[in-house]
Amino acid sequence: MHKSITKILSSQQPVFTTVCMLVITGLAQADMQSLDDRALAEVQGQSGITLEMDLSMSADRLSYYDDGKGVHIEGIKIGSSEVEGKGAFHRTRIDIASDASLNLEYLVEDRRIEFSDIRLGGAPGVSLGAVFLQHSLDGFFNLRKGGVAGNGYTFDTAYTMTGGRLGYQTNGNSVFLDDITMGFEALGVTLDVIGNTLQLAAPEVKGQWSAGAIRFSDNPADHGVGSAGLGPQGPSYGALAATYNVSSTTGITAGGREGQGLTIDNETIINSASFIYTDDGNVLALRDITGEYRIADLRLDVGTDWNNRSALALTLSRLSVEVNIGAIEMGGIGKSMGSVNMNFILEDSVFNGEAYSNALYIQGGGHSDAGPQGLRLAAEWSLSSANLSYIEDGNQVIVSGLQSWGRGDVTVNVTRDETRNGTRFYDGLRIGFEGLKAGYRINGLRVGSEDAPLQGGTELLLALGVYPAYEFEMDGHVTLGPGGSSGDGLTLNSDIYIRNGKAAVVASPFDEGGGEVSQKGIWLTGVSYEGHVRDMTIDVAEEGLVMQTGEAWSTMDVSDVRVGSSDDGASFGRFRLQSFEKGSSMTLSPGGAGDVCVGGSGASAAACVASGGTWEERGQEGVSIGMKKVLARAEGADKRNSILWETNRNQDSQGNGLNGTGTGLLVDDIHTSDGGDFNGDGIDDNTFGIQTDLSVDVYQTRVTKKEDGPDSHGVIGNKGDEKIMDPSSPQGYRYVSTAGAADIANRPLGFAVKAESRFKELSINNVDLIHRNGGAQTAIYGVKLQNFDIRANLTATPIP
């Protein structure tokens, strides 16, 4: 049809015109202008119908009820994103083809959709916050009869979105994706009713999207308003981009866990995908992503959580996921750290005699001092099984048997830099934790393959701040602000409080194949922790991921360091560790040590061997970590670097040690220095700190037997024999007295670490001896260590 039907609506009333919006007729009012005979004479039907209109709509509330409980979307507006109060241009071409299929072509220009509040009935005075979306669309939709079951439908759809902005706002502050572009295509999608289930099957869905910036604004006028209302653009979190190609089947059935509601089952195969984060031109990229996930019995209800609070409830029976990331690249040079595979299952489980499920109860309000808008997520999870493998230059190490559980509240607010009702807030997206009780544990490591014997060695993860097992209760927040050290990036501020903690430094497996057993090891029990970070910037730079801390201080108080059982093992006593840093940093770079001479010296294989060393070519992948810890001088009781060891304490009625009642050793006010006042301010400079460079690779190493006879797995060998991995052997390895070329190629895998640590000056202000009656007496005053430089080349392998 070459002529169009126009001027369908007019006047100053909110306009409600388009066919796709008929489902909410009555929410808006419109004045209609009839087409006269001349206009009707120009309508031709042989090629379909074209509708053109300017759409402007507003509605006070749209409600959804489930078993008498409602979710209310308030302050709905649809219109132009360019001019406030003007309609957004829509054009739709409708055609019926000769096979009776319905064909729609549509064009939407500069449309804005916004909701001022999303509220739950039964929770007055608070809301989930506001959402806005701006975009232009150009696409098509084809619908024809006949699905998989014969009586359904098949449709094709594709669209391009430009000029997008998607934001979330609470209490006048917004975080939004800016400059969004998107392409989407789904062909041959079928829709059928099979039994009582509505089944949607998509043989291939592919697309790509990008967001030119992720922005923060504390200007309420930015909510859903075009770029003209932004004013000067502030710092950005960075840019995002992704591509995907998936196949999926989704089943939707009426009924939730509490009567009315929805039940969703889904199977999705990730044929290919990628994800890229860009910071000032430098990228952190996850490439060559493949995998699959299955959702079983996900139910949506409007109900209450375990504290009887009104909530939109998402409850899950089972989720299984397997994802492969072919390459992790970062920095300006595109080098890869290696690849990662992860698989996990979320399902109901029992941990420490308590049952956990998987549920998310979405509520309004967020943090109570941040204002009435925000998200409160009452979360419960049960990770029954997970494995994480890291593959570097073809060598694989698997963190096996990870389990996690927990329950508590997570709050989400967009906040500004201010103090409200005594609570300190910062610019950015604030993620808070309230009464979160959680834990995790790792069963062990496997090297080489998924069916390799389970081995110890999870204490190797302590260098990353990961304990082999940890249980805790937590409160606090992490706030992610926009802008890094310069330009795009992240700024992090946090306050974390942990109580009743129990952490393993070294732990045996909790299941060696015969069922769950009590873990033995070295435990930190009765742990309390208070940690604060200010103005930490996170950037992707030319060399990799760079983290720089403005100021950080913490206190970890360990009631007992126990050996054996975590509950009643022998105790070394109490330890308290205090840390205070200013200007510390860490750089995470792709690529490990490269070529290394172990046990000798030389820049070539020949020179290394001639010096008595072993030449190792550790490949191009791996991880390099550069750390600088600037230990600051003490500035108060909480801001200092100190170590306290206390023993012989009095005990309470439950047999627990009473802190401060025993004898102790205190190493106090530990700090670094550059060794002089070089800038003339009268204070010794402190910029060098303790600098440590680590290059970590997964690499083979020589492991020898320490004594004659059988080892812990019954494998026999003599002292000095070398361990060789052999899948045909009962335990997966054997011992040989002399390793040939084939044996050397099957040496055990481990973490190969090339390290160098150095500082200019490290000072200890005082070392005190503390008596329970006489108090503290200084035993040593003023200790200085200068010009320290140590290098090491180690390979740590998991042991049976």
Side-chain angles (χ1 to χ4, degrees), residues 210-214 236-242 275-287 329-332 486-490 538-541 545:
S210 66
I214 310 168
S236 167
Y237 290 89
L240 298 176
F275 179 84
I276 300 173
Y277 168 73
T278 304
D279 176 354
D280 293 318
N282 300 302
V283 303
L284 170 60
L286 308 180
R287 302 191 187 277
E329 300 174 0
M330 64 173 60
S486 63
D488 296 346
L490 302 177
I538 305 174
D539 297 89
V540 181
L545 188 66

PDB file of all heavy atoms in Angstrom, residues 210-214 236-242 275-287 329-332 486-490 538-541 545:
ATOM      1  N   SER A 210      26.023  -3.236  22.212  1.00  0.00           N
ATOM      2  CA  SER A 210      27.107  -2.469  22.813  1.00  0.00           C
ATOM      3  C   SER A 210      26.515  -1.286  23.556  1.00  0.00           C
ATOM      4  O   SER A 210      25.458  -0.767  23.194  1.00  0.00           O
ATOM      5  CB  SER A 210      28.107  -1.993  21.757  1.00  0.00           C
ATOM      6  OG  SER A 210      27.507  -1.057  20.881  1.00  0.00           O
ATOM      7  N   ALA A 211      27.190  -0.879  24.603  1.00  0.00           N
ATOM      8  CA  ALA A 211      26.856   0.334  25.350  1.00  0.00           C
ATOM      9  C   ALA A 211      28.106   1.192  25.372  1.00  0.00           C
ATOM     10  O   ALA A 211      29.136   0.770  25.909  1.00  0.00           O
ATOM     11  CB  ALA A 211      26.398  -0.004  26.765  1.00  0.00           C
ATOM     12  N   GLY A 212      28.006   2.370  24.779  1.00  0.00           N
ATOM     13  CA  GLY A 212      29.184   3.217  24.661  1.00  0.00           C
ATOM     14  C   GLY A 212      29.727   3.681  25.990  1.00  0.00           C
ATOM     15  O   GLY A 212      30.915   4.012  26.100  1.00  0.00           O
ATOM     16  N   ALA A 213      28.883   3.720  27.020  1.00  0.00           N
ATOM     17  CA  ALA A 213      29.330   4.137  28.350  1.00  0.00           C
ATOM     18  C   ALA A 213      28.333   3.666  29.388  1.00  0.00           C
ATOM     19  O   ALA A 213      27.144   3.497  29.103  1.00  0.00           O
ATOM     20  CB  ALA A 213      29.490   5.651  28.423  1.00  0.00           C
ATOM     21  N   ILE A 214      28.821   3.440  30.591  1.00  0.00           N
ATOM     22  CA  ILE A 214      27.976   3.195  31.754  1.00  0.00           C
ATOM     23  C   ILE A 214      28.150   4.416  32.644  1.00  0.00           C
ATOM     24  O   ILE A 214      29.271   4.710  33.078  1.00  0.00           O
ATOM     25  CB  ILE A 214      28.383   1.931  32.514  1.00  0.00           C
ATOM     26  CG1 ILE A 214      28.530   0.744  31.558  1.00  0.00           C
ATOM     27  CG2 ILE A 214      27.382   1.597  33.612  1.00  0.00           C
ATOM     28  CD1 ILE A 214      29.205  -0.452  32.177  1.00  0.00           C
ATOM     29  N   SER A 236      32.768   7.851  33.386  1.00  0.00           N
ATOM     30  CA  SER A 236      32.082   6.628  32.979  1.00  0.00           C
ATOM     31  C   SER A 236      32.720   5.421  33.649  1.00  0.00           C
ATOM     32  O   SER A 236      33.922   5.402  33.935  1.00  0.00           O
ATOM     33  CB  SER A 236      32.146   6.482  31.455  1.00  0.00           C
ATOM     34  OG  SER A 236      31.771   5.181  31.045  1.00  0.00           O
ATOM     35  N   TYR A 237      31.894   4.413  33.895  1.00  0.00           N
ATOM     36  CA  TYR A 237      32.417   3.141  34.361  1.00  0.00           C
ATOM     37  C   TYR A 237      33.194   2.416  33.257  1.00  0.00           C
ATOM     38  O   TYR A 237      33.925   1.472  33.524  1.00  0.00           O
ATOM     39  CB  TYR A 237      31.271   2.229  34.790  1.00  0.00           C
ATOM     40  CG  TYR A 237      30.552   2.630  36.054  1.00  0.00           C
ATOM     41  CD1 TYR A 237      29.468   3.488  36.019  1.00  0.00           C
ATOM     42  CD2 TYR A 237      30.935   2.117  37.283  1.00  0.00           C
ATOM     43  CE1 TYR A 237      28.768   3.831  37.169  1.00  0.00           C
ATOM     44  CE2 TYR A 237      30.251   2.448  38.447  1.00  0.00           C
ATOM     45  CZ  TYR A 237      29.171   3.322  38.382  1.00  0.00           C
ATOM     46  OH  TYR A 237      28.500   3.647  39.527  1.00  0.00           O
ATOM     47  N   GLY A 238      32.999   2.795  32.015  1.00  0.00           N
ATOM     48  CA  GLY A 238      33.590   2.110  30.878  1.00  0.00           C
ATOM     49  C   GLY A 238      32.510   1.721  29.880  1.00  0.00           C
ATOM     50  O   GLY A 238      31.339   2.094  30.028  1.00  0.00           O
ATOM     51  N   ALA A 239      32.885   0.969  28.878  1.00  0.00           N
ATOM     52  CA  ALA A 239      31.958   0.554  27.829  1.00  0.00           C
ATOM     53  C   ALA A 239      31.844  -0.969  27.803  1.00  0.00           C
ATOM     54  O   ALA A 239      32.772  -1.681  28.199  1.00  0.00           O
ATOM     55  CB  ALA A 239      32.435   1.059  26.465  1.00  0.00           C
ATOM     56  N   LEU A 240      30.694  -1.463  27.320  1.00  0.00           N
ATOM     57  CA  LEU A 240      30.441  -2.894  27.233  1.00  0.00           C
ATOM     58  C   LEU A 240      30.035  -3.268  25.817  1.00  0.00           C
ATOM     59  O   LEU A 240      29.411  -2.476  25.112  1.00  0.00           O
ATOM     60  CB  LEU A 240      29.324  -3.314  28.195  1.00  0.00           C
ATOM     61  CG  LEU A 240      29.539  -3.100  29.689  1.00  0.00           C
ATOM     62  CD1 LEU A 240      28.280  -3.494  30.454  1.00  0.00           C
ATOM     63  CD2 LEU A 240      30.729  -3.897  30.185  1.00  0.00           C
ATOM     64  N   ALA A 241      30.370  -4.488  25.436  1.00  0.00           N
ATOM     65  CA  ALA A 241      29.924  -5.023  24.150  1.00  0.00           C
ATOM     66  C   ALA A 241      29.856  -6.543  24.258  1.00  0.00           C
ATOM     67  O   ALA A 241      30.609  -7.158  25.018  1.00  0.00           O
ATOM     68  CB  ALA A 241      30.868  -4.616  23.022  1.00  0.00           C
ATOM     69  N   ALA A 242      28.939  -7.141  23.502  1.00  0.00           N
ATOM     70  CA  ALA A 242      28.787  -8.589  23.545  1.00  0.00           C
ATOM     71  C   ALA A 242      28.195  -9.086  22.237  1.00  0.00           C
ATOM     72  O   ALA A 242      27.481  -8.360  21.540  1.00  0.00           O
ATOM     73  CB  ALA A 242      27.905  -9.015  24.720  1.00  0.00           C
ATOM     74  N   PHE A 275      32.273 -11.369  25.363  1.00  0.00           N
ATOM     75  CA  PHE A 275      31.939 -10.227  26.217  1.00  0.00           C
ATOM     76  C   PHE A 275      33.179  -9.362  26.352  1.00  0.00           C
ATOM     77  O   PHE A 275      34.273  -9.870  26.647  1.00  0.00           O
ATOM     78  CB  PHE A 275      31.468 -10.704  27.589  1.00  0.00           C
ATOM     79  CG  PHE A 275      31.120  -9.584  28.531  1.00  0.00           C
ATOM     80  CD1 PHE A 275      29.860  -9.001  28.485  1.00  0.00           C
ATOM     81  CD2 PHE A 275      32.042  -9.113  29.447  1.00  0.00           C
ATOM     82  CE1 PHE A 275      29.535  -7.968  29.349  1.00  0.00           C
ATOM     83  CE2 PHE A 275      31.721  -8.086  30.305  1.00  0.00           C
ATOM     84  CZ  PHE A 275      30.466  -7.503  30.257  1.00  0.00           C
ATOM     85  N   ILE A 276      33.010  -8.053  26.142  1.00  0.00           N
ATOM     86  CA  ILE A 276      34.160  -7.148  26.152  1.00  0.00           C
ATOM     87  C   ILE A 276      33.837  -5.928  26.999  1.00  0.00           C
ATOM     88  O   ILE A 276      32.798  -5.285  26.811  1.00  0.00           O
ATOM     89  CB  ILE A 276      34.538  -6.699  24.725  1.00  0.00           C
ATOM     90  CG1 ILE A 276      34.889  -7.912  23.856  1.00  0.00           C
ATOM     91  CG2 ILE A 276      35.710  -5.717  24.751  1.00  0.00           C
ATOM     92  CD1 ILE A 276      35.109  -7.572  22.401  1.00  0.00           C
ATOM     93  N   TYR A 277      34.725  -5.629  27.926  1.00  0.00           N
ATOM     94  CA  TYR A 277      34.661  -4.401  28.717  1.00  0.00           C
ATOM     95  C   TYR A 277      35.827  -3.519  28.287  1.00  0.00           C
ATOM     96  O   TYR A 277      36.979  -3.986  28.225  1.00  0.00           O
ATOM     97  CB  TYR A 277      34.752  -4.719  30.203  1.00  0.00           C
ATOM     98  CG  TYR A 277      34.991  -3.505  31.085  1.00  0.00           C
ATOM     99  CD1 TYR A 277      33.984  -2.582  31.309  1.00  0.00           C
ATOM    100  CD2 TYR A 277      36.225  -3.292  31.691  1.00  0.00           C
ATOM    101  CE1 TYR A 277      34.196  -1.467  32.113  1.00  0.00           C
ATOM    102  CE2 TYR A 277      36.449  -2.187  32.497  1.00  0.00           C
ATOM    103  CZ  TYR A 277      35.431  -1.281  32.704  1.00  0.00           C
ATOM    104  OH  TYR A 277      35.656  -0.179  33.492  1.00  0.00           O
ATOM    105  N   THR A 278      35.537  -2.264  27.960  1.00  0.00           N
ATOM    106  CA  THR A 278      36.561  -1.345  27.459  1.00  0.00           C
ATOM    107  C   THR A 278      36.710  -0.174  28.408  1.00  0.00           C
ATOM    108  O   THR A 278      35.728   0.448  28.819  1.00  0.00           O
ATOM    109  CB  THR A 278      36.199  -0.832  26.057  1.00  0.00           C
ATOM    110  OG1 THR A 278      35.998  -1.944  25.176  1.00  0.00           O
ATOM    111  CG2 THR A 278      37.314   0.036  25.499  1.00  0.00           C
ATOM    112  N   ASP A 279      37.954   0.131  28.743  1.00  0.00           N
ATOM    113  CA  ASP A 279      38.283   1.238  29.642  1.00  0.00           C
ATOM    114  C   ASP A 279      39.347   2.080  28.947  1.00  0.00           C
ATOM    115  O   ASP A 279      40.511   1.664  28.837  1.00  0.00           O
ATOM    116  CB  ASP A 279      38.805   0.672  30.971  1.00  0.00           C
ATOM    117  CG  ASP A 279      39.259   1.746  31.954  1.00  0.00           C
ATOM    118  OD1 ASP A 279      39.282   2.928  31.571  1.00  0.00           O
ATOM    119  OD2 ASP A 279      39.608   1.388  33.088  1.00  0.00           O
ATOM    120  N   ASP A 280      38.935   3.261  28.444  1.00  0.00           N
ATOM    121  CA  ASP A 280      39.865   4.166  27.763  1.00  0.00           C
ATOM    122  C   ASP A 280      40.660   3.448  26.672  1.00  0.00           C
ATOM    123  O   ASP A 280      41.878   3.631  26.535  1.00  0.00           O
ATOM    124  CB  ASP A 280      40.826   4.800  28.775  1.00  0.00           C
ATOM    125  CG  ASP A 280      40.116   5.732  29.739  1.00  0.00           C
ATOM    126  OD1 ASP A 280      39.243   6.504  29.283  1.00  0.00           O
ATOM    127  OD2 ASP A 280      40.414   5.684  30.941  1.00  0.00           O
ATOM    128  N   GLY A 281      39.973   2.622  25.904  1.00  0.00           N
ATOM    129  CA  GLY A 281      40.599   1.946  24.775  1.00  0.00           C
ATOM    130  C   GLY A 281      41.259   0.624  25.083  1.00  0.00           C
ATOM    131  O   GLY A 281      41.630  -0.116  24.169  1.00  0.00           O
ATOM    132  N   ASN A 282      41.415   0.272  26.356  1.00  0.00           N
ATOM    133  CA  ASN A 282      41.999  -1.004  26.752  1.00  0.00           C
ATOM    134  C   ASN A 282      40.874  -1.964  27.119  1.00  0.00           C
ATOM    135  O   ASN A 282      39.878  -1.567  27.730  1.00  0.00           O
ATOM    136  CB  ASN A 282      42.933  -0.818  27.949  1.00  0.00           C
ATOM    137  CG  ASN A 282      44.069   0.140  27.635  1.00  0.00           C
ATOM    138  OD1 ASN A 282      44.841  -0.077  26.710  1.00  0.00           O
ATOM    139  ND2 ASN A 282      44.160   1.216  28.410  1.00  0.00           N
ATOM    140  N   VAL A 283      41.034  -3.232  26.768  1.00  0.00           N
ATOM    141  CA  VAL A 283      39.919  -4.169  26.881  1.00  0.00           C
ATOM    142  C   VAL A 283      40.209  -5.282  27.875  1.00  0.00           C
ATOM    143  O   VAL A 283      41.358  -5.710  28.068  1.00  0.00           O
ATOM    144  CB  VAL A 283      39.559  -4.798  25.508  1.00  0.00           C
ATOM    145  CG1 VAL A 283      39.223  -3.728  24.496  1.00  0.00           C
ATOM    146  CG2 VAL A 283      40.670  -5.700  25.003  1.00  0.00           C
ATOM    147  N   LEU A 284      39.143  -5.720  28.517  1.00  0.00           N
ATOM    148  CA  LEU A 284      39.089  -6.982  29.244  1.00  0.00           C
ATOM    149  C   LEU A 284      38.067  -7.821  28.500  1.00  0.00           C
ATOM    150  O   LEU A 284      36.873  -7.490  28.487  1.00  0.00           O
ATOM    151  CB  LEU A 284      38.681  -6.759  30.696  1.00  0.00           C
ATOM    152  CG  LEU A 284      38.361  -8.016  31.521  1.00  0.00           C
ATOM    153  CD1 LEU A 284      39.564  -8.934  31.599  1.00  0.00           C
ATOM    154  CD2 LEU A 284      37.882  -7.630  32.915  1.00  0.00           C
ATOM    155  N   ALA A 285      38.521  -8.880  27.842  1.00  0.00           N
ATOM    156  CA  ALA A 285      37.666  -9.627  26.911  1.00  0.00           C
ATOM    157  C   ALA A 285      37.571 -11.092  27.312  1.00  0.00           C
ATOM    158  O   ALA A 285      38.585 -11.730  27.640  1.00  0.00           O
ATOM    159  CB  ALA A 285      38.203  -9.517  25.490  1.00  0.00           C
ATOM    160  N   LEU A 286      36.338 -11.600  27.306  1.00  0.00           N
ATOM    161  CA  LEU A 286      36.074 -13.029  27.435  1.00  0.00           C
ATOM    162  C   LEU A 286      35.642 -13.503  26.053  1.00  0.00           C
ATOM    163  O   LEU A 286      34.577 -13.119  25.570  1.00  0.00           O
ATOM    164  CB  LEU A 286      34.981 -13.292  28.463  1.00  0.00           C
ATOM    165  CG  LEU A 286      35.166 -12.660  29.846  1.00  0.00           C
ATOM    166  CD1 LEU A 286      34.001 -13.026  30.749  1.00  0.00           C
ATOM    167  CD2 LEU A 286      36.488 -13.061  30.475  1.00  0.00           C
ATOM    168  N   ARG A 287      36.451 -14.326  25.430  1.00  0.00           N
ATOM    169  CA  ARG A 287      36.208 -14.715  24.030  1.00  0.00           C
ATOM    170  C   ARG A 287      35.963 -16.217  23.924  1.00  0.00           C
ATOM    171  O   ARG A 287      36.299 -16.999  24.817  1.00  0.00           O
ATOM    172  CB  ARG A 287      37.393 -14.313  23.152  1.00  0.00           C
ATOM    173  CG  ARG A 287      37.703 -12.824  23.186  1.00  0.00           C
ATOM    174  CD  ARG A 287      38.697 -12.455  22.091  1.00  0.00           C
ATOM    175  NE  ARG A 287      39.156 -11.083  22.189  1.00  0.00           N
ATOM    176  CZ  ARG A 287      38.502 -10.038  21.705  1.00  0.00           C
ATOM    177  NH1 ARG A 287      37.345 -10.220  21.096  1.00  0.00           N
ATOM    178  NH2 ARG A 287      38.990  -8.820  21.829  1.00  0.00           N
ATOM    179  N   GLU A 329      41.429 -12.177  27.780  1.00  0.00           N
ATOM    180  CA  GLU A 329      42.427 -11.212  27.324  1.00  0.00           C
ATOM    181  C   GLU A 329      42.260  -9.903  28.094  1.00  0.00           C
ATOM    182  O   GLU A 329      41.145  -9.503  28.424  1.00  0.00           O
ATOM    183  CB  GLU A 329      42.280 -10.943  25.828  1.00  0.00           C
ATOM    184  CG  GLU A 329      42.452 -12.187  24.963  1.00  0.00           C
ATOM    185  CD  GLU A 329      42.168 -11.930  23.502  1.00  0.00           C
ATOM    186  OE1 GLU A 329      41.841 -10.771  23.158  1.00  0.00           O
ATOM    187  OE2 GLU A 329      42.246 -12.878  22.706  1.00  0.00           O
ATOM    188  N   MET A 330      43.359  -9.227  28.356  1.00  0.00           N
ATOM    189  CA  MET A 330      43.263  -7.930  29.014  1.00  0.00           C
ATOM    190  C   MET A 330      44.454  -7.064  28.620  1.00  0.00           C
ATOM    191  O   MET A 330      45.506  -7.568  28.220  1.00  0.00           O
ATOM    192  CB  MET A 330      43.182  -8.076  30.533  1.00  0.00           C
ATOM    193  CG  MET A 330      44.387  -8.677  31.198  1.00  0.00           C
ATOM    194  SD  MET A 330      44.264  -8.627  33.009  1.00  0.00           S
ATOM    195  CE  MET A 330      42.795  -9.597  33.268  1.00  0.00           C
ATOM    196  N   GLY A 331      44.226  -5.735  28.680  1.00  0.00           N
ATOM    197  CA  GLY A 331      45.278  -4.792  28.346  1.00  0.00           C
ATOM    198  C   GLY A 331      45.231  -4.380  26.897  1.00  0.00           C
ATOM    199  O   GLY A 331      44.328  -4.732  26.132  1.00  0.00           O
ATOM    200  N   GLY A 332      46.235  -3.624  26.511  1.00  0.00           N
ATOM    201  CA  GLY A 332      46.259  -3.088  25.163  1.00  0.00           C
ATOM    202  C   GLY A 332      46.924  -3.975  24.143  1.00  0.00           C
ATOM    203  O   GLY A 332      46.936  -3.657  22.955  1.00  0.00           O
ATOM    204  N   SER A 486      42.148   7.690  36.013  1.00  0.00           N
ATOM    205  CA  SER A 486      41.988   8.757  35.025  1.00  0.00           C
ATOM    206  C   SER A 486      41.031   8.255  33.953  1.00  0.00           C
ATOM    207  O   SER A 486      41.132   7.120  33.506  1.00  0.00           O
ATOM    208  CB  SER A 486      43.336   9.143  34.399  1.00  0.00           C
ATOM    209  OG  SER A 486      43.907   8.061  33.692  1.00  0.00           O
ATOM    210  N   GLY A 487      40.061   9.078  33.564  1.00  0.00           N
ATOM    211  CA  GLY A 487      39.106   8.665  32.541  1.00  0.00           C
ATOM    212  C   GLY A 487      38.141   7.623  33.050  1.00  0.00           C
ATOM    213  O   GLY A 487      37.685   7.662  34.195  1.00  0.00           O
ATOM    214  N   ASP A 488      37.812   6.651  32.168  1.00  0.00           N
ATOM    215  CA  ASP A 488      36.874   5.600  32.520  1.00  0.00           C
ATOM    216  C   ASP A 488      37.467   4.676  33.577  1.00  0.00           C
ATOM    217  O   ASP A 488      38.668   4.668  33.833  1.00  0.00           O
ATOM    218  CB  ASP A 488      36.491   4.784  31.288  1.00  0.00           C
ATOM    219  CG  ASP A 488      35.752   5.608  30.247  1.00  0.00           C
ATOM    220  OD1 ASP A 488      35.317   6.725  30.587  1.00  0.00           O
ATOM    221  OD2 ASP A 488      35.631   5.145  29.098  1.00  0.00           O
ATOM    222  N   GLY A 489      36.600   3.845  34.142  1.00  0.00           N
ATOM    223  CA  GLY A 489      37.033   2.877  35.135  1.00  0.00           C
ATOM    224  C   GLY A 489      36.082   2.834  36.304  1.00  0.00           C
ATOM    225  O   GLY A 489      34.965   3.346  36.257  1.00  0.00           O
ATOM    226  N   LEU A 490      36.519   2.208  37.397  1.00  0.00           N
ATOM    227  CA  LEU A 490      35.704   2.051  38.593  1.00  0.00           C
ATOM    228  C   LEU A 490      36.416   2.680  39.787  1.00  0.00           C
ATOM    229  O   LEU A 490      37.643   2.630  39.880  1.00  0.00           O
ATOM    230  CB  LEU A 490      35.451   0.574  38.902  1.00  0.00           C
ATOM    231  CG  LEU A 490      34.772  -0.298  37.842  1.00  0.00           C
ATOM    232  CD1 LEU A 490      34.697  -1.727  38.337  1.00  0.00           C
ATOM    233  CD2 LEU A 490      33.382   0.226  37.523  1.00  0.00           C
ATOM    234  N   ILE A 538      39.949   1.038  39.873  1.00  0.00           N
ATOM    235  CA  ILE A 538      40.168  -0.179  39.089  1.00  0.00           C
ATOM    236  C   ILE A 538      40.094   0.203  37.623  1.00  0.00           C
ATOM    237  O   ILE A 538      39.074   0.716  37.153  1.00  0.00           O
ATOM    238  CB  ILE A 538      39.122  -1.259  39.424  1.00  0.00           C
ATOM    239  CG1 ILE A 538      39.118  -1.547  40.931  1.00  0.00           C
ATOM    240  CG2 ILE A 538      39.383  -2.529  38.634  1.00  0.00           C
ATOM    241  CD1 ILE A 538      38.014  -2.487  41.367  1.00  0.00           C
ATOM    242  N   ASP A 539      41.186  -0.025  36.893  1.00  0.00           N
ATOM    243  CA  ASP A 539      41.277   0.343  35.488  1.00  0.00           C
ATOM    244  C   ASP A 539      41.837  -0.816  34.688  1.00  0.00           C
ATOM    245  O   ASP A 539      42.647  -1.609  35.197  1.00  0.00           O
ATOM    246  CB  ASP A 539      42.198   1.555  35.289  1.00  0.00           C
ATOM    247  CG  ASP A 539      41.689   2.810  35.974  1.00  0.00           C
ATOM    248  OD1 ASP A 539      42.027   3.015  37.155  1.00  0.00           O
ATOM    249  OD2 ASP A 539      40.958   3.570  35.337  1.00  0.00           O
ATOM    250  N   VAL A 540      41.413  -0.902  33.427  1.00  0.00           N
ATOM    251  CA  VAL A 540      42.090  -1.758  32.462  1.00  0.00           C
ATOM    252  C   VAL A 540      43.060  -0.868  31.705  1.00  0.00           C
ATOM    253  O   VAL A 540      42.642   0.033  30.970  1.00  0.00           O
ATOM    254  CB  VAL A 540      41.110  -2.446  31.503  1.00  0.00           C
ATOM    255  CG1 VAL A 540      41.865  -3.339  30.531  1.00  0.00           C
ATOM    256  CG2 VAL A 540      40.092  -3.271  32.277  1.00  0.00           C
ATOM    257  N   ALA A 541      44.342  -1.074  31.914  1.00  0.00           N
ATOM    258  CA  ALA A 541      45.381  -0.249  31.310  1.00  0.00           C
ATOM    259  C   ALA A 541      46.131  -1.051  30.263  1.00  0.00           C
ATOM    260  O   ALA A 541      45.821  -2.222  29.995  1.00  0.00           O
ATOM    261  CB  ALA A 541      46.333   0.272  32.388  1.00  0.00           C
ATOM    262  N   LEU A 545      45.056  -5.291  34.248  1.00  0.00           N
ATOM    263  CA  LEU A 545      44.094  -4.777  35.233  1.00  0.00           C
ATOM    264  C   LEU A 545      44.866  -4.132  36.375  1.00  0.00           C
ATOM    265  O   LEU A 545      45.678  -4.786  37.037  1.00  0.00           O
ATOM    266  CB  LEU A 545      43.227  -5.916  35.752  1.00  0.00           C
ATOM    267  CG  LEU A 545      42.039  -5.546  36.642  1.00  0.00           C
ATOM    268  CD1 LEU A 545      41.001  -4.756  35.849  1.00  0.00           C
ATOM    269  CD2 LEU A 545      41.414  -6.802  37.242  1.00  0.00           C
TER     270      LEU A 545
END
